[in-house]
Amino acid sequence: MELAKNLAPNYNPIDIIENIFASQSYELERRNANEVVVEVQGKWNNMLLFFAWEANMRCMHFSCLMDIETKIEDRSKIFELLALVNEELWVGHFSYWAEQNIPVFKHSVILNDEEELFESKISQIVDIAIRECERMYPVFKVVLTKGMDPHQALYPMLMDTVGQA
């Protein structure tokens, strides 16, 4: 196995991500050389997009935090919901950030130096994350704040609809 000898030591995709969002006038905070946080307006509320670059693994980690604070004590419902929701996803997964009591969509991507189509790939990942967070927001909301059974909360999301109302 050949180790990554040819990788540019200064390659940092966080610079590119910062430029993408800054050029579109999003509020962002560059926390350090390898992390940036961007606030975006979603359908239900604001979401925080967190990007972290791990140079040794050549890995870009992405998280989308939903602003729904848990009001229930029974965490088993949260983890049951996560298992059910994640069965439906092709890209990324939902997790629960226990320290902040909020659900999070996560995805990581291994990158090559100066990867072609990087901006397109990041755009795709962000679009998927926001779409999934907005789709699942009502489900997470009723389970995390009202204690609804995860199967009941997910039932309307999993039904196939026919026609228009």
Side-chain angles (χ1 to χ4, degrees):
M1 176 191 311
E2 183 180 325
L3 295 178
K5 297 177 202 166
N6 304 345
L7 300 177
N10 297 330
Y11 175 70
N12 188 339
I14 294 294
D15 298 332
I16 299 167
I17 290 169
E18 183 178 33
N19 289 336
I20 292 169
F21 286 100
S23 71
Q24 297 176 23
S25 300
Y26 282 96
E27 279 204 35
L28 59 90
E29 176 188 350
R30 182 78 179 249
R31 293 195 171 165
N32 61 47
N34 295 322
E35 295 178 0
V36 68
V37 178
V38 181
E39 185 172 354
V40 298
Q41 176 62 48
K43 179 179 177 180
W44 305 102
N45 66 0
N46 287 352
M47 292 179 270
L48 292 179
L49 308 179
F50 175 78
F51 297 87
W53 172 239
E54 174 29 74
N56 292 329
M57 292 191 305
R58 314 306 290 171
C59 185
M60 171 65 69
H61 174 77
F62 168 72
S63 298
C64 182
L65 289 71
M66 292 191 289
D67 189 17
I68 307 172
E69 193 169 329
T70 305
K71 292 186 172 61
I72 60 169
E73 297 293 324
D74 183 6
R75 294 243 171 124
S76 66
K77 287 185 179 186
I78 296 166
F79 297 114
E80 181 181 1
L81 176 60
L82 290 171
L84 294 169
V85 168
N86 285 331
E87 286 178 357
E88 302 298 319
L89 297 177
W90 279 71
V91 173
H93 67 279
F94 281 98
S95 182
Y96 185 73
W97 188 7
E99 186 179 298
Q100 297 295 321
N101 292 322
I102 58 174
V104 180
F105 179 89
K106 295 182 175 185
H107 185 66
S108 295
V109 179
I110 304 296
L111 299 173
N112 300 315
D113 284 353
E114 309 302 326
E115 178 150 339
E116 293 181 33
L117 306 174
F118 173 71
E119 289 184 31
S120 174
K121 188 180 283 189
I122 292 300
S123 176
Q124 221 175 1
I125 293 167
V126 169
D127 288 347
I128 289 168
I130 290 173
R131 183 174 55 246
E132 291 299 336
C133 286
E134 288 182 343
R135 182 171 77 101
M136 289 297 154
Y137 183 91
V139 175
F140 277 104
K141 181 87 171 169
V142 296
V143 172
L144 297 178
T145 63
K146 307 286 188 218
M148 181 181 269
D149 176 75
H151 288 278
Q152 282 183 306
L154 265 174
Y155 182 73
M157 303 305 288
L158 302 178
M159 289 183 359
D160 289 327
T161 56
V162 179
Q164 295 181 2

